[in-house]
Amino acid sequence: RAFGKIYRRSHTTTTGATPTKHATAHPPYVSTRPSVSPHSRASSMKSTAASASASAFVSASLALIVVVFACAPFACSAAGCGGRDCNPPSPFSALMAVTSLPTTYASTGFREDWKSNMTLGHKAVIDFMGGVSGVNVYLLEPKGLDAAYEPVKRMCADSGTTQANCWSGDISNAKAGSPFYYRGMGAASCACSQTVSTGVGLYYGPGVGDTGSGLAYRAGHEYTH
């Protein structure tokens, strides 16, 4: 606190018999430390804060990676999954990148030209951006008889899909001629109480008035999902 002040001290000398007090002024204290401008000090503080922030971010990121890998499907034992309607989200996926077309199952009276056009729609997406494994396509003809849907219903069940609770609704809509097209659940397993997608189902029930080009477009749209 005394830096820069003038310190004075008193001392005595003897001149004859009478002591005389003298006041001696000492020069101001001069610091030998290099001066730091406020701007430099602020920059240094910002740099230190940025370094601390970066270190905290890296630590948090590493902690998150550890948590993710701890809950990855291959690191967890299977557990019960919480259900949510007929098309819940799947936090984990076991699907692999492929270039092959999906497997298609059709009701006995499904039109071949419709099937060909829908295959073209799937292929267009795969050729452009690639495909994924485990995709099954289920084609239900409009206004068919019960027996017409049995083969595709059986194949849907054999594929391990979790869509069984919605399957009866799809058949009812197809028999009534009410169109539907959607990407739904396929086969799935559980890990860390979450759903692991091991397959995908594409469900199509064209209307009587649908065209081949329109179905190709819809197939490409749903496969992209």
Side-chain angles (χ1 to χ4, degrees), residues 48-141:
T48 302
S51 298
S53 178
S55 299
F57 175 77
V58 171
S59 299
S61 298
L62 291 175
L64 178 60
I65 291 172
V66 170
V67 171
V68 170
F69 274 94
C71 263
F74 51 79
C76 291
S77 59
C81 294
R84 197 190 78 179
D85 58 53
C86 61
N87 195 13
S90 300
F92 302 124
S93 174
L95 305 180
M96 305 294 290
V98 298
T99 56
S100 56
L101 288 167
T103 303
T104 299
Y105 304 103
S107 58
T108 56
F110 198 90
R111 288 172 50 174
E112 288 297 325
D113 60 325
W114 281 359
K115 185 188 301 184
S116 297
N117 279 277
M118 298 181 86
T119 298
L120 288 176
H122 296 148
K123 187 175 186 301
V125 176
I126 294 171
D127 290 344
F128 179 71
M129 59 187 294
V132 294
S133 62
V135 180
N136 291 324
V137 178
Y138 303 102
L139 306 177
L140 283 71
E141 65 192 82

Side-chain angles (χ1 to χ4, degrees), residues 141-177:
E141 65 192 82
K143 298 188 175 182
L145 300 175
D146 288 340
Y149 303 110
E150 286 303 315
V152 68
K153 181 178 179 180
R154 184 171 60 253
M155 293 309 299
C156 182
D158 291 345
S159 70
T161 181
T162 57
Q163 197 75 10
N165 61 321
C166 293
W167 187 249
S168 59
D170 289 340
I171 292 179
S172 296
N173 288 330
K175 289 173 64 176

Side-chain angles (χ1 to χ4, degrees), residues 142-224:
K143 298 188 175 182
L145 300 175
D146 288 340
Y149 303 110
E150 286 303 315
V152 68
K153 181 178 179 180
R154 184 171 60 253
M155 293 309 299
C156 182
D158 291 345
S159 70
T161 181
T162 57
Q163 197 75 10
N165 61 321
C166 293
W167 187 249
S168 59
D170 289 340
I171 292 179
S172 296
N173 288 330
K175 289 173 64 176
S178 299
F180 58 88
Y181 325 85
Y182 66 97
R183 182 270 196 210
M185 289 295 295
S189 61
C190 296
C192 297
S193 299
Q194 299 295 329
T195 302
V196 182
S197 179
T198 58
V200 174
L202 300 181
Y203 300 84
Y204 302 117
V208 175
D210 276 331
T211 63
S213 59
L215 291 175
Y217 166 80
R218 290 185 180 278
H221 174 93
E222 296 305 331
Y223 189 89
T224 302

Side-chain angles (χ1 to χ4, degrees), residues 8-15 18-25:
R8 305 177 66 87
R9 68 178 183 180
S10 298
H11 63 279
T12 60
T13 58
T14 304
T15 55
T18 305
T20 303
K21 290 186 177 182
H22 298 276
T24 303

